[in-house]
């Protein structure tokens, strides 16, 4: 039984590495056996907005305690900004963590083997890094759980944020929510894809927006008031996987 299990584990690892070689850097080839393939991640990203994001918006009464004199509509907008900030920080920190993992592993391997490597591209193409990339996809869920439990992400969500109504208590409240936990799982799944899935940069307020890429929130219009939910792409400048959401207004009402 032990030998059979070891054989099955080895076959699984070899199959994973082979699949990684086939799909690496080629989003047109999808491993249909991967539960965290980009299309599935795109679906989960939409579900996160429809479900956990909506649940987090129900914290109006609690959040209102930190803002005196503001009405429910204003509190809703504040929560939206904090949720958006939390998502973007989570994605950014996961991306940095993923890059550091592979580069530090590759650099250590190259140094040990006395290899002369000068570029990041050479490092990520080392066999040990390719296998590590495949291995961490297998353990994506376990690693995301550790990231959440250790609270090792999003430590500077407030400090360097230029927002009038930013509040550490509100952010801490949201970081204990299911929304944040699922953000970590999804963002980690996004950044370990090859190529990396791309969460859109924030649109500039008071500028027009593409309605093929973003849909309106509760107000219609042709200009951006603020981003509610960023668009998600298969990779940077690649196909759109999920439309973003903006609070809009008409230019004539400026």
């Amino acid at each position: 039984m032990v030998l059979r299990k070891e054989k099955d584990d080895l076959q699984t690892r070899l199959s994973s590495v082979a699949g990684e070689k086939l799909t690496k850097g080629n989003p047109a080839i999808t491993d249909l056996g991967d539960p965290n393939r980009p299309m599935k991640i795109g679906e989960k990203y939409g579900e996160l907005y429809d479900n956990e994001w909506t649940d987090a918006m129900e914290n109006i009464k609690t959040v209102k305690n930190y803002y005196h004199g503001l009405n429910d509509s204003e509190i809703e907008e504040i929560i939206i900004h904090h949720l958006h900030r939390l998502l973007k920080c989570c994605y950014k920190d996961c991306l940095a963590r993923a890059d550091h993992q592979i580069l530090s592993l590759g650099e250590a391997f190259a140094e040990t083997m006395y290899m002369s490597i000068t570029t990041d591209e050479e490092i990520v193409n080392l066999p040990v890094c390719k296998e590590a990339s495949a291995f961490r996809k297998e353990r994506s869920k376990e690693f995301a759980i550790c990231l959440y439990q250790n609270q090792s992400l999003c430590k500077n969500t407030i400090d360097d944020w230029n927002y009038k109504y930013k509040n550490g208590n509100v952010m801490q409240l949201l970081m204990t929510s299911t929304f944040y936990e699922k953000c970590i799982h999804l963002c980690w799944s996004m950044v370990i894809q090859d190529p990396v899935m791309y969460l859109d940069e924030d649109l500039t307020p008071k500028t027009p927006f593409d309605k093929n890429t973003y849909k309106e929130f509760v107000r219609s219009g042709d200009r951006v008031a603020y981003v509610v939910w960023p668009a998600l792409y298969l990779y940077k400048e690649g196909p759109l996987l999920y439309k973003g959401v903006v609070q809009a207004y008409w230019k004539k009402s400026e």
Side-chain angles (χ1 to χ4, degrees):
M1 290 294 291
V2 174
L3 290 175
R4 176 64 179 271
K5 184 178 185 304
E6 290 179 351
K7 179 182 177 182
D8 290 344
D9 289 345
L10 178 59
Q11 287 178 333
T12 300
R13 291 288 305 282
L14 290 174
S15 176
S16 177
V17 172
E20 174 73 10
K21 288 180 178 179
L22 179 64
T23 60
K24 183 173 176 60
N26 190 351
I29 300 177
T30 301
D31 180 2
L32 297 179
D34 181 5
N36 285 320
R37 59 189 182 274
M39 290 301 294
K40 281 293 185 182
I41 294 172
E43 291 174 11
K44 292 177 182 178
Y45 183 68
E47 291 169 0
L48 177 65
Y49 176 66
D50 291 337
N51 300 321
E52 286 76 19
W53 184 92
T54 302
D55 292 342
M57 289 298 298
E58 295 178 1
N59 286 296
I60 292 176
K61 186 175 181 180
T62 302
V63 172
K64 205 169 186 178
N65 293 325
Y66 304 118
Y67 301 92
H68 301 292
L70 298 185
N71 59 40
D72 285 359
S73 178
E74 291 169 319
I75 296 298
E76 281 184 354
E77 182 175 328
I78 288 170
I79 296 175
I80 288 171
H81 279 286
H82 280 74
L83 288 170
H84 175 264
R85 173 71 173 178
L86 192 55
L87 171 65
K88 294 301 290 284
C89 285
C90 186
Y91 176 80
K92 179 182 176 183
D93 286 1
C94 281
L95 188 59
R97 181 67 61 94
D99 285 345
H100 177 72
Q101 274 186 346
I102 297 301
L103 291 176
S104 59
L105 176 64
E107 287 169 358
F109 179 80
E111 182 179 351
T112 302
M113 295 297 163
Y114 299 102
M115 300 172 68
S116 178
I117 290 181
T118 57
T119 68
D120 290 351
E121 184 178 0
E122 288 179 298
I123 291 175
V124 299
N125 283 318
L126 288 170
V128 66
C129 291
K130 290 181 178 180
E131 186 166 349
S133 294
F135 180 70
R136 73 177 178 182
K137 275 191 176 183
E138 293 175 28
R139 294 187 53 80
S140 172
K141 181 178 179 180
E142 290 82 359
F143 191 78
I145 289 173
C146 289
L147 288 175
Y148 176 70
Q149 291 178 341
N150 296 336
Q151 295 289 300
S152 56
L153 302 177
C154 302
K155 294 183 180 296
N156 298 312
T157 52
I158 292 294
D159 296 343
D160 57 353
W161 186 19
N162 183 24
Y163 176 54
K164 179 180 179 181
Y165 294 107
K166 66 181 181 181
N167 187 291
N169 292 315
V170 174
M171 194 62 79
Q172 191 58 44
L173 172 68
L174 297 176
M175 288 179 73
T176 60
S177 69
T178 305
F179 171 81
Y180 178 57
E181 183 177 3
K182 291 204 171 182
C183 270
I184 292 177
H185 281 265
L186 272 180
C187 288
W188 183 249
S189 295
M190 291 176 192
V191 302
I192 62 174
Q193 301 300 315
D194 186 19
V196 172
M197 297 176 71
Y198 182 68
L199 205 57
D200 200 15
E201 294 293 326
D202 289 343
L203 303 182
T204 304
K206 299 183 180 181
T207 61
F209 65 95
D210 183 358
K211 294 190 178 184
N212 293 314
T213 306
Y214 280 85
K215 55 188 176 182
E216 295 138 317
F217 186 44
V218 295
R219 294 198 301 266
S220 62
D222 59 0
R223 293 291 189 276
V224 177
Y226 56 85
V227 175
V228 175
W229 195 247
L232 176 65
Y233 294 87
L234 182 59
Y235 51 89
K236 191 171 184 178
E237 299 181 357
L240 178 69
L241 285 182
Y242 192 84
K243 270 189 175 185
V245 182
V246 297
Q247 184 67 288
Y249 69 96
W250 294 104
K251 183 180 180 181
K252 62 183 180 182
S253 64
E254 287 182 346

